[in-house]
Amino acid sequence: MTASLVAAWCCAVLVPASLAVWRYRQALAGGMGDDLGFYLDAAGRVRAGEDLYSSAFYVYSPLVAWILSPFTQSSHVLAWWTCTSIVACLVAAAATVAVCWRALRPWQRPTLALIAGVTILLDRGVAMDLAEGQTDTIVLAITAIALLLATLQMPRWAGGALAGAAIIKTWPALFVLWFLRQGAPQRKRAILAWFGTGLGFVLLTMIVSKPGIVERWISRTIAMSDQDFAVWSAWGVGHELLTPRGNFVPLANSPTAATLVDLLLGGIVLGLLGVTLVRPGDPAFALWNVVAASVLLIPVAHQQYHLLLTPLVWLWFARALQGVNPWRSVPVAVLMAFRWAAPMLLDPVPIDDRWKYLAIMLASIATLAASVLVNARSRNVTTSLARGDTRSSLSAAAHKQGHGGPHQASGDASS
């Protein structure tokens, strides 16, 4: 048994490590992405004492430009940035496995680690993120760390971490809704830490930068809320497919129908977000359901943003491995795997492949619906966020529930 576990852990570590090296070399072979170029241009303006928002397309807080400002003249900046992004993917996978750790049996832990490492490194959104030199993998890692901190009953640190995700890219501010879910413990501490971290960064920005930088940050964010790129959110499906202003050959030209489709799909996602907050079920699942709903609701969502849905694959596979309500968890895990694979199976998506775009978007909304609705009827049997962890293992509770036992793990209790 020991030898089998050692072999399993070697596989769980070596396979993702090999994929990480492959992905690193692939990204470097593709050259520098446009977004990293914009970051470096803004960073160069910081070094020169100029307004960083005079840089084209730099729409985020000054943080990324500040971090990159010492490296604007480095010939290895692309290599370091790519390496950081890949490490962030592995950190997110490791943090999620750690959250599920106590609920899993010894052989299930390396299995989940292998699934997480492989799926994140082969994810289509990650490939696009690395090609562009974006920051979504870093947001993924910070959010996963925030969940781990909540698991360790450190609400202030969890709130600060989620604020960090919003500082990197403004729209992850929506993730704070997770703290507003029904039954969330120590909510005030987490929200105050989130607000305090964000406010502290804004004040720091005003102190160390030129006057008016916060106003320019806000105005640039608003100005860039309407872009000519394909919109990979529920609000954009109708206009992408039913009006000439979209990025695909339209199925028809009907602005009225486009608005109705956008309202329908957007309303569905908003409703699912509401269900998540009222009936959160397992809080770890609830966090990533909130993240997925946020991705599908923001006005400008690029395809690589969907990499933030990947942790739902890990969590549902963890539940399926446990055998918790297999008639529910296994189908949802399979559906999650299909959504993860869809962008690769249907790639590329040129302007005439409107059906591929529609299939990917409907798959994303369908998997969110399945995750929210099934999790709403679940308890904390997959993660370590349940009351009573110190008295009995969650894996035992999961085993009882999976076999129809009368005892179940407690609901939302500590974070």
Side-chain angles (χ1 to χ4, degrees), residues 54-111:
S54 63
S55 174
F57 297 108
Y58 189 83
V59 66
Y60 311 115
S61 79
L63 181 61
V64 176
W66 289 350
I67 292 173
L68 287 174
S69 59
F71 307 103
T72 54
Q73 304 300 320
S74 173
S75 59
H76 303 294
V77 63
L78 174 60
W80 283 111
W81 191 253
T82 302
C83 185
T84 300
S85 298
I86 291 174
V87 169
C89 291
L90 297 176
V91 167
T96 304
V97 173
V99 167
C100 300
W101 189 267
R102 296 185 65 180
L104 297 174
R105 296 176 181 175
W107 70 268
Q108 293 171 341
R109 293 164 183 167
T111 302

Side-chain angles (χ1 to χ4, degrees), residues 118-317:
V118 170
T119 52
I120 193 60
L121 290 172
L122 292 181
D123 188 83
R124 171 60 181 161
V126 169
M128 297 177 67
D129 213 68
L130 295 178
E132 293 293 330
Q134 256 290 349
T135 57
D136 303 294
T137 56
I138 299 174
V139 171
L140 174 74
I142 293 174
T143 306
I145 291 171
L147 177 60
L148 179 59
L149 291 169
T151 305
L152 298 175
Q153 302 185 31
M154 303 169 67
R156 294 187 181 90
W157 287 96
L162 275 190
I167 291 171
I168 295 289
K169 300 190 78 165
T170 311
W171 66 265
L174 292 171
F175 299 173
V176 73
L177 292 173
W178 183 60
F179 294 127
L180 301 179
R181 70 192 187 278
Q182 175 135 7
Q186 304 185 64
R187 176 184 294 142
K188 291 183 179 179
R189 292 182 181 183
I191 293 177
L192 285 174
W194 180 88
F195 182 79
T197 302
L199 180 61
F201 179 79
V202 169
L203 294 175
L204 177 64
T205 300
M206 296 173 65
I207 292 171
V208 304
S209 302
K210 293 182 178 180
I213 188 170
V214 175
E215 289 82 359
R216 289 193 294 277
W217 172 14
I218 295 172
S219 62
R220 173 62 66 87
T221 301
I222 295 172
M224 294 295 290
S225 62
D226 185 15
Q227 300 180 13
D228 292 330
F229 302 109
V231 178
W232 291 81
S233 76
W235 295 122
V237 174
H239 279 81
E240 286 291 343
L241 299 179
L242 297 173
T243 65
R245 63 167 293 204
N247 288 267
F248 300 94
V249 176
L251 299 173
N253 184 7
S254 176
T256 301
T259 300
L260 291 176
V261 169
D262 287 346
L263 289 175
L264 173 63
L265 296 180
I268 290 173
V269 177
L270 274 174
L272 293 170
L273 179 59
V275 173
T276 298
L277 299 180
V278 175
R279 294 285 301 276
D282 189 301
F285 287 75
L287 172 60
W288 292 109
N289 286 337
V290 168
V291 171
S294 301
V295 170
L296 293 172
L297 286 175
I298 57 176
V300 180
H302 304 300
Q303 188 177 3
Q304 62 263 32
Y305 290 6
H306 286 225
L307 70 88
L308 291 164
L309 278 66
T310 306
L312 286 174
V313 178
W314 311 337
L315 292 176
W316 281 106
F317 266 89

